[in-house]
Amino acid sequence: MALPACAARALGPPLQPERGAPARTTCPRRHSRVEAELAASRPESVAASVRAGPPRGVSRGFNSQPLLDEPLKAASSLVGAARAPLFALLLRGRRRRMHDLRRRWDLGSLCRALLTRGLAALGHSLKHVLGAIFSKIFGPLASVGNMDEKSNKLLLALVMLFLFAVIVLQYVCPGTECQLLRLQAFSSPLPDPYRSEDESSARFVPRYNFSRGDLLRKVDFDIKGDDLIVFLHIQKTGGTTFGRHLVRNIQLEQPCECRVGQKKCTCHRPGKRETWLFSRFSTGWSCGLHADWTELTSCVPAVVDGKRDARLRPSRNFHYITILRDPVSRYLSEWRHVQRGATWKASLHVCDGRPPTSEELPSCYTGDDWSGCPLKEFMDCPYNLANNRQVRMLSDLTLVGCYNLSVMPEKQRNKVLLESAKSNLKHMAFFGLTEFQRKTQYLFEKTFNMNFISPFTQYNTTRASSVEISEELQKRIEGLNFLDMELYSYAKDLFLQRYQFMRQKEHQEARRKRQEQRKFLKGRFLQTHYQTQSQGQNPNPSQNPSQNPNLNASQSGTQSLFQNLIQNLTQSSGQNLSPKENQESQKQNPGQEQSDGNTSNGTDDYIGSVEKWR
């Protein structure tokens, strides 16, 4: 667009850079067209508008020629005075906003420039630091100071990969309990899973003498047949946890079907619509809430085969199992449970075909429950079924007249109940202890030949352990549960002896298999070697062996080679044994292989000498 004649005369000739000065590289001002239009419309104000110069922040350039000459300066002063009333028309607030906008634009530009330069400096420093690190690591391979473009790209890729791995790790594993961060499994060896779980000494001294039949609990449980496992659940012994293991944690051909939101699971036999487990989580409380030994033995056969004719009922094997716990811990746990409102009113306590009367079994509280009761009140009630609960639930109550205390004296009654509970516990297919979770799992697997999917967990912190009681109060609780204390001592001794017996039997089976493998390798080696010798060194069978000294030398070499082979096999197999087992094997094998009869004799020698094996 061409300028008007008056504007061109006012602006004068176009600016020319001085000789030797650098040429202007900036673009023309954007408001030049606006100034030309204003000059065309108002010739008198051109000089003042042009004299005002470029806006703030735009440089004129070095050695540039002034825009106007001296005569024009005088005219511009007059025109500026004429323009003063026009600027007064602008509001003061608008001018202030324009000034703030310019100042913010300047600060923003400064911040962006500083940020850009800072990032560049940081990247440069990071490059030098990483270069120094890589020079220490990969110094013999290449020099970082002369890294080419490919090396820079490789370094950047490694840094980005590391940052990406850190971000992914934070999303996948945000907490400190993540399995990926547990490096102890790689640094420390795996401990023995059947080590003493109560952190006491692993040395065990038996107090009772049990026969081999009492220690060897091997049940021929046929899950596809008619056998049935019956779980006797005693309150506050960890039976709920063990019951869940039975329905959710066993490797079966047809696992139990457990639905979300339902406590009971469907545990059918393979190919049948019949249960193999009678427990809380499979059949529910079919014989009453926490039914005892007396109730289960009379109720379970009727519940399972009640709809069938007596002549058509199969000959089932009922395998009873249960879990016991330390009496003091169990008593305190039941008291805390009662404090929270538990009553067990649904328990039937059926004995000899009828439940007890209110005179035979009075209640310890008058309201709906016994919530909030103190420990002293809980112990003072003489009719509290928490006292000696484990003995009462494992004994045959029909032997003492059920809940009628007037049938026999109290001392005789307690003796009969204790002996009955011990006998029933000893003849049960299996029982475990809450304080030995891993050993309980091991004995169950060996007894029923059924394996669990995941190992049991030992919880040393419970509600009962959080209760702090004095020594005097503990002695009183032990006095109230003196029958349970005697039964638990008996059960613990039998449990640990069974465990050690099964472990020794397992070691003997492994030793016998190794001996059979050595015998097999010996026979195969001798057979192969003699065949080779007979084919290679004795082609003429009519030749006298005494006339061939090479044959005798080869036979002696064969024997020495075979002895070295047997020695290596013995050393390799002996590395898996403990020092005590090696000593025992040396005593049993003083130069010859042990026979199967000696192995069985070693099992028989175990009776009464458990500590010797340990």
Side-chain angles (χ1 to χ4, degrees), residues 355-420:
T357 62
S358 57
E359 291 79 11
E360 294 175 344
L361 189 61
S363 178
C364 290
Y365 54 91
T366 57
D368 295 334
D369 54 32
W370 208 3
S371 58
C373 70
L375 181 58
K376 185 178 183 303
E377 182 182 350
F378 188 78
M379 294 188 297
D380 290 340
C381 179
Y383 312 107
N384 193 350
L385 294 179
N387 302 335
N388 298 312
R389 180 181 289 276
Q390 298 182 94
V391 170
R392 180 183 59 81
M393 294 188 67
L394 290 175
S395 60
D396 188 359
L397 297 179
T398 59
L399 301 177
V400 295
C402 298
Y403 294 92
N404 189 0
L405 303 180
S406 61
V407 173
M408 60 180 64
E410 182 180 1
K411 186 175 181 180
Q412 183 181 358
R413 176 186 175 89
N414 293 335
K415 183 179 180 180
V416 173
L417 289 176
L418 182 59
E419 294 299 326
S420 177

Side-chain angles (χ1 to χ4, degrees), residues 229-233 238-249 256-259 261-268 275-286 288-290:
I229 296 179
V230 183
F231 180 38
L232 196 159
H233 187 177
T240 301
T241 302
F242 184 77
R244 289 196 181 101
H245 281 302
L246 293 178
V247 298
R248 299 176 183 268
N249 195 26
C256 298
E257 182 181 355
C258 301
R259 298 181 179 179
Q262 295 183 1
K263 292 184 177 181
K264 292 195 302 181
C265 302
T266 304
C267 299
H268 286 161
T275 184
W276 57 269
L277 177 64
F278 192 95
S279 69
R280 168 188 178 183
F281 294 105
S282 60
T283 58
W285 303 111
S286 301
L289 180 62
H290 290 284

Side-chain angles (χ1 to χ4, degrees), residues 436-447:
F436 300 94
Q437 291 291 322
R438 291 294 182 88
K439 294 181 176 65
T440 298
Q441 176 184 355
Y442 175 81
L443 286 179
F444 183 89
E445 292 176 347
K446 295 301 179 181
T447 301

Side-chain angles (χ1 to χ4, degrees), residues 57-82:
V58 179
S59 176
R60 294 177 181 268
F62 296 101
N63 301 326
S64 60
Q65 185 180 0
L67 295 177
L68 296 175
D69 52 0
E70 291 299 330
L72 189 60
K73 292 181 180 180
S76 64
S77 62
L78 297 177
V79 176

Side-chain angles (χ1 to χ4, degrees), residues 331-379:
Y331 189 84
L332 292 174
S333 181
E334 182 171 348
W335 164 62
R336 292 293 299 272
H337 198 56
V338 169
Q339 268 192 331
R340 296 190 296 270
T343 59
W344 295 299
K345 289 182 178 180
S347 300
L348 302 178
H349 303 295
V350 175
C351 179
D352 203 8
R354 66 175 183 87
T357 62
S358 57
E359 291 79 11
E360 294 175 344
L361 189 61
S363 178
C364 290
Y365 54 91
T366 57
D368 295 334
D369 54 32
W370 208 3
S371 58
C373 70
L375 181 58
K376 185 178 183 303
E377 182 182 350
F378 188 78
M379 294 188 297

Side-chain angles (χ1 to χ4, degrees), residues 42 74 76 79 82 86 118 195 231 284 342 410 420 477 528 565 572 594:
R42 294 182 301 174
S76 64
V79 176
L86 297 177
R195 186 177 172 270
F231 180 38
E410 182 180 1
S420 177
I477 295 176
T528 305
L565 176 62
S572 61
Q594 184 183 6

Side-chain angles (χ1 to χ4, degrees), residues 16-32:
Q16 297 293 336
E18 296 181 359
R19 182 174 297 178
R24 182 184 297 270
T25 58
T26 57
C27 300
R29 291 182 299 177
R30 297 180 180 177
H31 58 279
S32 59

